[in-house]
């Protein structure tokens, strides 16, 4: 811990990579969320602390911008800090660092705190002892482009997925990072090789659970980006929006 910035060290282990030997997006996404949880716990507002008050953190937005992933056997560090706090949301930033101090890339997540029983958001200014405000690092920026407007112009149904056991998190909902993997699977191996994904943007709108049938819609608007929606087939509930930005030169 240094100046309210939490730091966690990792190595790209076998089976945590994709077929090219790069750290997989799913692994990185889960590590980012894990670091967020560990850091929050250090400051007194992690999962174990807030659940005692019948509260829970809910991920609203996630942007991961990593042009070059660490590869098998390479070491990397995830640094994370609270950037800002609003009435109902808080922004957390991340830097994914090489051992030499340069960055592989950066990420930003936006969280809301909800009441478990009512599912309504909590006013973050009511957090005890001003915990969130005490750990803000406003002076450090994550050099990452702002979010893109996620809207499909001509939706096309690409696939349907029935949520099952391996999709679920500890709350029994489809894991936030699992949605990213479902969207990545809509791009072929050949496309991934020719134009690798370098940035992922996600907006989360609702929860889904085991047995729900998820429909994935896409709208390809250019050669280097793909916009997708995930909808619950039974009632049309929008679950999340995503956009996959890809390299132009592979």
């Amino acid at each position: 811990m240094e100046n309210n910035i939490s730091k966690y060290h990792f190595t790209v282990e076998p089976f945590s990579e994709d077929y090219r030997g790069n750290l997989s997006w799913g692994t990185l996404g889960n590590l980012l969320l894990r670091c967020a949880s560990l850091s929050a716990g250090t400051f007194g507002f992690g999962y174990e602390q807030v659940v005692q008050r019948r509260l829970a953190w809910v991920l609203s937005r996630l942007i991961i911008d990593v042009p070059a992933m660490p590869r098998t056997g390479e070491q990397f560090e995830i640094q994370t800090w609270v950037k800002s706090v609003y009435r109902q949301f808080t922004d957390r930033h991340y830097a994914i660092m090489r051992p030499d101090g340069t960055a592989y890339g950066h990420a930003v997540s936006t969280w809301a705190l909800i009441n478990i029983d009512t599912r309504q958001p909590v006013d973050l200014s009511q957090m005890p002892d001003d915990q969130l405000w005490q750990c803000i690092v406003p002076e450090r920026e994550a050099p990452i482009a702002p979010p893109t407007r996620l809207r499909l112009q001509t939706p096309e149904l690409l696939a349907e997925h029935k949520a099952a056991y391996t999709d679920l998190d500890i709350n029994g909902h489809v894991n936030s990072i699992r949605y990213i993997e479902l969207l990545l699977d809509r791009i072929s191996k050949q496309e991934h090789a020719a134009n690798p994904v370098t940035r992922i943007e996600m907006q989360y709108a609702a929860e889904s659970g085991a047995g729900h049938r998820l429909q994935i819609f896409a709208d390809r608007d250019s050669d280097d980006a793909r916009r997708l929606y995930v909808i619950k087939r039974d009632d049309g509930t929008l679950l999340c929006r995503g956009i996959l930005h890809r390299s132009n030169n592979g």
Side-chain angles (χ1 to χ4, degrees):
M1 179 77 64
E2 179 181 349
N3 299 323
N4 287 345
I5 298 175
S6 301
K7 300 180 179 181
Y8 305 96
H9 298 274
F10 302 96
T11 300
V12 182
E13 303 286 354
F15 307 108
S16 67
E17 332 97 309
D18 63 15
Y19 79 95
R20 297 169 297 168
N22 296 325
L23 181 69
S24 73
W25 283 100
T27 301
L28 176 58
N30 281 314
L31 288 177
L32 292 174
L33 300 191
R34 177 57 177 155
C35 290
S37 179
L38 290 172
S39 180
T42 299
F43 288 98
F45 52 88
Y47 172 82
E48 293 182 356
Q49 290 100 336
V50 300
V51 77
Q52 295 176 8
R53 299 167 53 206
R54 300 296 295 167
L55 304 175
W57 289 107
V58 175
L59 184 62
S60 174
R61 184 191 295 271
L62 179 63
I63 303 174
I64 311 175
D65 195 329
V66 185
M69 284 283 195
R71 295 181 58 79
T72 306
E74 292 183 350
Q75 297 181 344
F76 64 100
E77 178 183 81
I78 294 178
Q79 302 177 0
T80 183
W81 61 98
V82 176
K83 173 61 179 176
S84 53
V85 181
Y86 311 98
R87 184 182 176 195
Q88 294 183 343
F89 295 97
T90 178
D91 289 333
R92 175 176 287 278
H93 286 198
Y94 311 79
I96 300 94
M97 306 297 294
R98 298 181 178 88
D100 67 4
T102 60
Y104 285 104
H106 298 84
V108 178
S109 59
T110 301
W111 301 81
L113 190 65
I114 66 167
N115 182 292
I116 293 174
D117 300 313
T118 66
R119 311 304 291 178
Q120 295 300 307
V122 173
D123 185 344
L124 294 178
S125 66
Q126 303 304 310
M127 292 285 287
D129 303 321
D130 292 330
Q131 292 166 313
L132 275 169
W133 276 263
Q134 289 182 5
C135 65
I136 293 175
V137 185
E139 69 277 7
R140 180 168 179 185
E141 297 287 346
I144 187 169
T148 306
R149 188 173 183 180
L150 303 180
R151 178 172 294 180
L152 300 190
Q153 300 299 322
T154 54
E156 174 188 4
L157 179 62
L158 286 187
E160 187 171 293
H161 175 79
K162 184 177 181 180
Y165 168 72
T166 57
D167 298 317
L168 307 180
D169 60 19
I170 193 171
N171 300 309
H173 302 136
V174 175
N175 184 285
S176 302
I177 305 304
R178 182 67 180 124
Y179 285 113
I180 292 178
E181 294 175 329
L182 290 173
L183 301 191
L184 287 167
D185 284 344
R186 307 283 67 82
I187 298 177
S188 70
K189 177 183 176 182
Q190 293 75 18
E191 289 178 293
H192 276 294
N195 301 104
V197 173
T198 58
R199 173 182 166 106
I200 296 175
E201 301 181 45
M202 298 293 294
Q203 290 180 357
Y204 298 98
E207 299 164 340
S208 63
H212 291 158
R213 293 191 177 275
L214 315 182
Q215 291 184 319
I216 303 171
F217 291 82
D219 181 11
R220 186 187 299 273
D221 59 355
S222 71
D223 291 336
D224 61 348
R226 195 165 199 188
R227 302 169 191 267
L228 303 105
Y229 279 9
V230 181
I231 292 172
K232 192 187 303 182
R233 190 186 73 173
D234 294 344
D235 58 12
T237 299
L238 173 66
L239 301 174
C240 66
R241 299 181 177 96
I243 180 167
L244 309 178
H245 299 264
R246 294 188 289 158
S247 154
N248 283 314
N249 49 20

